[in-house]
């Protein structure tokens, strides 16, 4: 039996999603799930991940399937597995069983799709082979996902309206993924005192995810070099003075993501300098979450975090000047060169396949500013929206070593004082925050953020 | 620093591989490493795996690189990482550092490749985007990897000659991967008595692989339903009477694979029926390895395993007749429907991207026989060849339940007696065996195969 067939059926929620879509677009839509991709040769594949738009409306990760959505109805296109399939891969539910489980109104073999796809809008599939089939079947070329036009663009915009606001079925999955990520981080902290390499901590964290039958939502970052923002390396040794930054999140069987970062001391105790910076980052994190509610601009949260961190760095004597002026001049971006966070849902950067269409409200575009250009989300908050809040402080050699930066910010940065904080290479604190009617619900709140609580979790493994 | 730069340089071994290639083909060859593939959106990629033919000659998993091999010389084509790369992914070695590490004779930006690739033979890249670029650059269409012709086919045949016989540099990597897989299996056995789900055992095993900074060479199989040959499910609960079949192997950082299967009792003790069948499978395994040496036909090892198992099943009263007659009639394939093993190297089914070109000696083709058609390797053994030996016994519902099989084998199978072995759903025992001048070296020998030794490892975790 396929694992997801043992989950409660999401058929009612899927029906409501289709109804909401039908209220926004008239044209039928066809979405493809995609297929497995060969890793080193065709039969040795990466773990299959269904296309997120397909998952949103079909609910379950069917491979090589398509759905047609029209006026609130769902048609499923799926071939029956052959007899050799049962020998090698076991019995899997047939077309009718799947159709019942997802609440489809009709189900057909894939060969029927051609006749029923005429004139349908679509969103590009993830893998190139499926995309080629999609182009052929619809008899038209498809631009890249972030450059859609006409009916496809209208479909994308409608899907964004839906996916921006999570329903209870989605929230159930998102909470499950968050809960597993919390346990993974706790396990990572606990093994740290006895671990020799970053890889051992990573193994403990991903082990929790695997044991809970989930996948990692993105390539884990588990490193003592937190100053490398997307550090894919995990072979470094751990030494007692290091901070370990872990950005690891689980994805549920049905594809819903979580995304947590914590930064803890290898020794179990932050040094005074590490603790001082940690508390500044935490203050920014807390200030953002405290001010979140419907209507608040996400960009303002970003600027709030920048201002809180700038103020903290002024207090420490690392920066000089008024915090608001420092932020205006992008001085904060020397230490905090990324955005305060992003949308979270079926994708860890939700709907990033559509470029900035989901992240940026209509009419808004990325800023050219050093301190704002990396902001992935620029919309007013609304109830049902799930975002990450992830301020960070990094000492990045390519930014600090740049003579242009050093000259431009000569008056604003006390480089000598900063040199006393050399044991702080990178700190990030990231939680998954749901906007509610009245404020927020932090889905990852079970994992502490306060320095003393983190220290206790690490020391418990010593 | 990139992890593989801390490994000893393989430059001398790579030079020797190029020399051997130059002795077999005259035409220059260009090979591409490939690029990362998006999982759910382009920036959220699967872990990058370089193309195996590229890895064989370049040694290291460079992304977005190409090499040109001509008369024993190596030219490397690789772009320097941009400044944004350092911010997000850290400092990586530049073109010259990589060229020195791999012993390249010259190194150029990728843009130079077009001018230098004219007339070169090639092997198709793994990912479709790279393949499209390859086609464009060489100005010719490329057939699928298993349908190559002319110069490309000649290149493939030469590469097969080389890759069929592992040099010391390759064996060093293969032994490292095997050693980690051994520890992973020991960890899996140890956690079993306290585990509730298959997934927990899988987590322990893959955790060892991650902690050792390796990847899984293929999708792990960790299941109480061993009768499903490639069971990708791991959500079942473990109950004391179950056998757990684990087929899990690590791949080294440089891409070299291992592949081990063990089948252990969840309770720590095989039941008498499980033990009886286990010992038959083990007898087949041991008989194959004992008879391996250069010149022996791999197909004969397969038939030997079939005969040993048939004899054992006759002794148990499950089969009736002479073992050789039973094998002749493919009765063994009811229980053992796959081949005795396959080539192992950079790919877990080594060079399977080339179809049967590597697995089958020139002039040989797959058999139509039920009992031989799944054999992936049909060559005489030669020193330096690494193969798996993996006999198994399975009670597969689609084979047993097939009325045609039941009628055809009515005289040969005592179905009532077989019914007494219902607690044996699937058993496989798999090791990685190197053919040497005088016999064999079992790279995975550190992991016991005898039933008592397996029981001890499991009970150690109780």
């Amino acid at each position: 039996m396929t694992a997801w067939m043992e989950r409660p059926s999401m058929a009612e929620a899927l029906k409501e999603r289709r109804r909401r879509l039908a209220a926004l677009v008239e044209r039928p839509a066809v979405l493809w799930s995609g297929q497995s991709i060969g890793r080193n040769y065709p039969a040795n594949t990466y773990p299959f991940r269904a296309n997120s738009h397909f998952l949103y409306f079909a609910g379950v990760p069917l491979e090589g399937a398509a759905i047609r959505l029209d006026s609130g109805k769902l048609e499923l296109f799926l071939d029956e597995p052959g007899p050799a399939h049962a020998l090698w891969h076991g019995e899997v539910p047939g077309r009718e069983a799947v159709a019942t489980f997802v609440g489809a109104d009709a189900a057909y073999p894939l060969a029927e799709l051609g006749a029923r796809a005429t004139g349908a809008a679509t969103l590009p599939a993830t893998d190139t082979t499926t995309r080629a089939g999609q182009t052929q079947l619809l008899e038209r070329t498809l631009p890249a996902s972030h450059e859609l036009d006409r009916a496809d663009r209208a479909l994308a915009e409608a899907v964004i309206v839906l996916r921006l606001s999570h329903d209870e079925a989605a929230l159930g999955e998102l909470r499950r993924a968050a809960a597993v990520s919390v346990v993974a981080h706790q396990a990572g902290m606990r093994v740290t005192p006895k671990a020799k390499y970053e890889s051992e901590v990573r193994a403990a964290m991903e082990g929790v995810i695997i044991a809970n039958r989930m996948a990692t939502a993105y390539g884990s970052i588990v490193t003592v070099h937190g100053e490398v923002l997307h550090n894919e390396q995990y072979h470094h040794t751990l030494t007692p003075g290091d901070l370990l930054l872990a950005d690891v999140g689980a994805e549920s069987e049905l594809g819903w993501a979580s995304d947590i970062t914590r930064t803890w001391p290898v020794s179990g105790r932050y040094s005074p300098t590490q603790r001082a910076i940690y508390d500044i980052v935490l203050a920014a994190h807390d200030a953002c979450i405290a001010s979140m509610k419907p209507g608040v601009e996400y960009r303002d949260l970003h600027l709030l975090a920048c201002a809180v961190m700038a103020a903290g760095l002024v207090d420490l004597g690392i920066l000089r000047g008024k915090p608001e002026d420092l932020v205006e001049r992008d001085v904060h971006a020397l230490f905090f060169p990324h955005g305060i966070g992003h949308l979270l849902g079926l994708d860890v950067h939700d709907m990033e396949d559509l470029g900035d269409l989901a992240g940026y409200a209509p009419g808004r575009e990325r800023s050219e500013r050093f301190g704002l250009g990396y902001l992935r989300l620029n919309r007013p908050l609304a109830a049902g929206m799930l975002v990450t809040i992830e301020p960070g402080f990094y000492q990045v050699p390519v930014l600090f070593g740049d003579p242009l930066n050093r000259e431009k910010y000569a008056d604003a940065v006390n480089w000598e004082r900063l040199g006393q904080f050399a044991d702080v290479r990178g700190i990030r604190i990231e939680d998954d925050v749901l906007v509610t009617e009245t404020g927020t619900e932090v889905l990852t709140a079970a994992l502490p953020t306060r320095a003393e609580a983190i220290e206790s979790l690490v020391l418990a493994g010593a």
Side-chain angles (χ1 to χ4, degrees), chain A residues 127-460:
Chain A
D127 67 283
T128 50
T129 307
T130 304
R131 210 149 58 224
Q134 190 175 13
T135 305
Q136 194 177 12
L137 199 110
L138 295 174
E139 296 177 333
R140 59 193 173 86
T141 55
L142 275 173
S145 292
H146 59 282
E147 294 172 342
L148 300 174
D149 57 14
R150 289 186 292 254
D152 300 334
R153 166 88 181 218
L155 173 62
E157 287 173 354
V159 169
I160 288 168
V161 170
L162 270 64
R163 289 181 57 186
L164 275 177
S165 175
H166 294 298
D167 56 28
E168 277 307 315
L171 288 172
E173 287 294 305
L174 291 161
R175 286 193 187 99
R176 289 177 69 243
V180 168
S181 300
V182 166
V183 179
H185 279 259
Q186 290 165 337
M189 292 175 196
R190 204 167 42 242
V191 304
T192 298
K194 296 203 170 123
K196 189 175 167 197
Y197 295 103
E198 294 166 345
S199 59
E200 292 165 58
V201 180
R202 179 179 171 134
M205 299 181 77
E206 296 196 357
V208 168
I209 293 172
I210 298 167
N212 282 280
R213 298 164 294 287
M214 294 192 179
T216 49
Y218 52 93
S220 303
I221 301 170
V222 181
T223 184
V224 293
H225 287 287
E227 77 279 11
V228 177
L229 300 182
H230 282 181
N231 202 336
E232 295 128 9
Q233 304 286 323
Y234 51 102
H235 63 291
H236 303 104
T237 48
L238 306 180
T239 51
D242 287 332
L243 289 177
L244 186 70
L245 184 153
D247 185 346
V248 176
E251 176 184 288
S252 81
E253 308 90 315
L254 302 183
W256 297 83
S258 60
D259 186 359
I260 301 182
T261 308
R262 291 291 184 273
T263 309
W264 59 83
V266 166
S267 67
R269 295 282 179 209
Y270 295 97
S271 74
T273 42
Q274 290 168 343
R275 174 63 191 265
I277 302 284
Y278 187 92
D279 284 345
I280 290 174
V281 177
L282 183 58
H285 166 276
D286 291 352
C288 286
I289 295 176
S291 65
M292 285 172 71
K293 60 181 180 182
V296 168
E297 288 287 348
Y298 192 78
R299 181 177 177 279
D300 289 341
L301 296 178
H302 178 75
L303 292 170
L304 172 63
C306 298
V308 170
M309 285 197 283
L313 295 173
V314 168
D315 287 347
L316 283 183
I318 292 173
L319 295 185
R320 297 189 198 98
K322 284 192 194 169
E324 55 269 38
D325 297 343
L326 294 169
V327 172
E328 188 83 19
R329 290 175 60 198
D330 289 333
V331 179
H332 66 275
L334 281 175
F335 307 92
F336 176 44
H338 62 74
I340 189 65
H342 48 80
L343 293 169
L344 182 64
L346 279 162
D347 306 307
V348 63
H349 294 166
D350 209 25
M351 301 178 270
E352 197 178 285
D353 64 311
L354 301 172
D356 281 337
L357 205 58
Y360 274 58
R364 297 186 185 175
E365 284 186 7
R366 293 258 181 161
S367 167
E368 302 276 320
R369 263 181 66 184
F370 172 40
L372 279 173
Y374 280 116
L375 192 59
R376 294 178 192 273
L377 175 58
N378 186 350
R379 283 185 177 270
L381 299 180
M385 194 183 279
L386 179 64
V387 302
T388 65
I389 293 295
E390 49 177 310
F393 172 97
Y394 315 92
Q395 299 205 47
V396 186
V398 288
L399 295 181
F400 280 23
D402 183 342
L404 286 177
N405 280 338
R406 291 189 84 98
E407 191 186 315
K408 185 172 171 191
Y409 298 120
D411 64 316
V413 182
N414 181 339
W415 298 102
E416 201 180 310
R417 174 70 176 139
L418 179 65
Q420 295 166 4
F421 292 80
D423 69 347
V424 187
R425 290 193 291 259
I427 291 176
R428 180 162 64 250
I429 306 172
E430 176 180 30
D431 277 307
D432 302 346
V433 187
L434 176 70
V435 182
T436 64
E437 296 292 345
T438 53
T440 58
E441 176 194 336
V442 181
L443 301 195
T444 47
L447 191 68
T449 50
R450 286 178 50 83
E452 294 86 352
I454 301 272
E455 288 179 339
S456 295
L457 284 170
V458 178
L459 289 170

